[in-house]
Amino acid sequence: MALTTSRAQHPDQPSDDDVDVARRLLDSSAQLSYDPLTEVDWDTPLDKDFHGASPEWSTLYGTAYWEEMSDAQRKELTRQEAASVACTGIWFEMILQQMILRDIYSKDPTDETFQWALTEIADECRHSIMFARGAKKLGAPAYRPHRVAVELGRLFKTTAFGEAAYAAILVAEEVLDVMQRDWMRDERVVPFVRTINNIHVVEESRHMMFAREETRRHLARAGRVRRRIHAVMIAIAAYVIVTSMVNREVYANAGLDGKRALREARANEHHKSMVRASCSGLMEFLSSVGLLTRPALFFYRRAHLI
């Protein structure tokens, strides 16, 4: 009997639909991509009359401390917070790149899905450089996640595979996407940050589409036990990502009382509601694919994602 090499006999190979999605993403990337080194105004000195992010997204917005702060202090705080989000983005994009490389390591390089994965990694490299330069221009230090988060990230990038990897990628990108859409339209935000956010939103929309498709594809052959384990892994990753976005050092670096600011930020119901609203679409997707299990909900609630 002759051997065939159809996709149906190779479950690890992408389907024709997957290839079609990858082909469309490659075409979109060829038509609409940016070079941050030339698109972003890196030369104009920082104008401190602008915010670094929409004030409503500040962790202290709506608190008693926010009402006491001067306009200059509020602007400095949003600049420090925006830089912290950028640094956290770099940290997770480095994890993302390693997970994608590991996923495609032995796959067919002539396949469009392989080529799109490399295109996504190239995008993430540019984004990381863009975020790094942006944080520096905002006058911020190199904010890094807590050591526990760093080590958990190291473990996750080494062990996560399939839907766990791609759904975690989706979590990070979806949370950033909503806030950055607000920032890029807000004329109170310093222009170069608005440009950075616009670039990231446009290019990450393709990454989110790919992550959703890959999550569905891997789940199609995942058993009940694997699905439940990965649901919790994704939820823990989401908790670590979201709680690492704003480093506690931003308050002291903005000239505030760090202890009081952290206390009021943790109790800030306005910010919690902003985060929940930004994740509504993500939670609907996770629920639709069976990843919003009861144990997973514990971590999403702790991170105020639901």
Side-chain angles (χ1 to χ4, degrees):
M1 181 181 293
L3 295 176
T4 63
T5 57
S6 67
R7 291 185 186 277
Q9 288 181 294
H10 296 276
D12 286 339
Q13 278 192 294
S15 68
D16 290 339
D17 288 342
D18 297 324
V19 172
D20 183 58
V21 169
R23 187 178 295 118
R24 286 189 284 113
L25 291 173
L26 284 167
D27 290 343
S28 174
S29 180
Q31 295 170 20
L32 189 59
S33 289
Y34 300 93
D35 180 358
L37 295 180
T38 57
E39 295 286 343
V40 180
D41 179 7
W42 300 114
D43 297 326
T44 302
L46 174 66
D47 187 341
K48 293 190 175 182
D49 287 335
F50 287 92
H51 285 274
S54 296
E56 293 79 9
W57 275 99
S58 173
T59 55
L60 287 181
Y61 184 88
T63 65
Y65 206 168
W66 180 267
E67 296 304 318
E68 296 173 20
M69 293 163 58
S70 67
D71 187 56
Q73 284 178 314
R74 292 172 179 174
K75 289 172 178 174
E76 180 59 31
L77 175 60
T78 62
R79 290 195 293 270
Q80 293 296 320
E81 288 177 321
S84 179
V85 170
C87 290
T88 302
I90 295 169
W91 167 64
F92 194 75
E93 285 183 343
M94 292 175 70
I95 294 173
L96 178 158
Q97 292 171 52
Q98 293 177 72
M99 290 194 298
I100 294 178
L101 274 174
R102 186 155 47 82
D103 185 52
I104 67 171
Y105 172 68
S106 61
K107 293 184 178 178
D108 180 359
T110 66
D111 198 291
E112 282 87 347
T113 55
F114 182 97
Q115 293 165 30
W116 165 252
L118 289 181
T119 301
E120 180 168 341
I121 290 169
D123 287 347
E124 299 298 4
C125 287
R126 291 198 310 276
H127 294 168
S128 293
I129 295 170
M130 177 176 72
F131 286 157
R133 294 187 68 167
K136 184 175 182 179
K137 186 166 180 174
L138 284 168
Y143 290 113
R144 294 183 177 88
H146 190 276
R147 181 61 182 270
V148 173
V150 171
E151 295 308 319
L152 286 173
R154 196 187 306 278
L155 176 65
F156 185 77
K157 72 179 178 60
T158 304
T159 59
F161 66 92
E163 64 276 6
Y166 284 100
I169 290 169
L170 186 63
V171 166
E173 292 174 344
E174 290 259 7
V175 173
L176 280 174
D177 182 70
V178 174
M179 69 172 69
Q180 288 185 327
R181 285 179 185 273
D182 286 348
W183 301 0
M184 75 184 196
R185 301 186 185 105
D186 194 336
E187 294 185 357
R188 297 169 296 176
V189 176
V190 65
F192 83 91
V193 169
R194 294 179 65 193
T195 303
I196 287 173
N197 290 325
N198 182 68
I199 291 172
H200 198 247
V201 164
V202 169
E203 298 188 345
E204 288 296 327
S205 65
R206 296 189 286 262
H207 301 182
M208 289 189 290
M209 180 185 293
F210 185 64
R212 284 178 181 247
E213 292 302 318
E214 287 297 293
T215 299
R216 290 190 185 99
R217 184 170 73 86
H218 286 285
L219 280 170
R221 58 178 185 272
R224 182 173 177 273
V225 173
R226 169 175 145 178
R227 187 184 295 258
R228 293 182 70 83
I229 291 172
H230 280 187
V232 174
M233 286 179 64
I234 295 160
I236 294 172
Y239 174 83
V240 174
I241 293 164
V242 171
T243 58
S244 298
M245 280 193 174
V246 178
N247 191 294
R248 65 174 60 195
E249 297 300 322
V250 301
Y251 307 114
N253 290 335
L256 305 178
D257 178 337
K259 290 184 178 179
R260 179 188 173 188
L262 184 62
R263 184 171 62 251
E264 294 201 23
R266 285 176 171 171
N268 188 355
E269 292 301 325
H270 169 79
H271 189 258
K272 293 174 186 177
S273 69
M274 294 286 283
V275 173
R276 279 194 297 272
S278 74
C279 293
S280 59
L282 170 65
M283 292 300 116
E284 288 177 9
F285 172 76
L286 294 177
S287 177
S288 71
V289 295
L291 291 174
L292 214 56
T293 61
R294 184 175 296 179
L297 282 170
F298 170 81
F299 293 98
Y300 290 124
R301 291 193 177 105
R302 285 289 300 273
H304 310 294
L305 300 181
I306 197 169

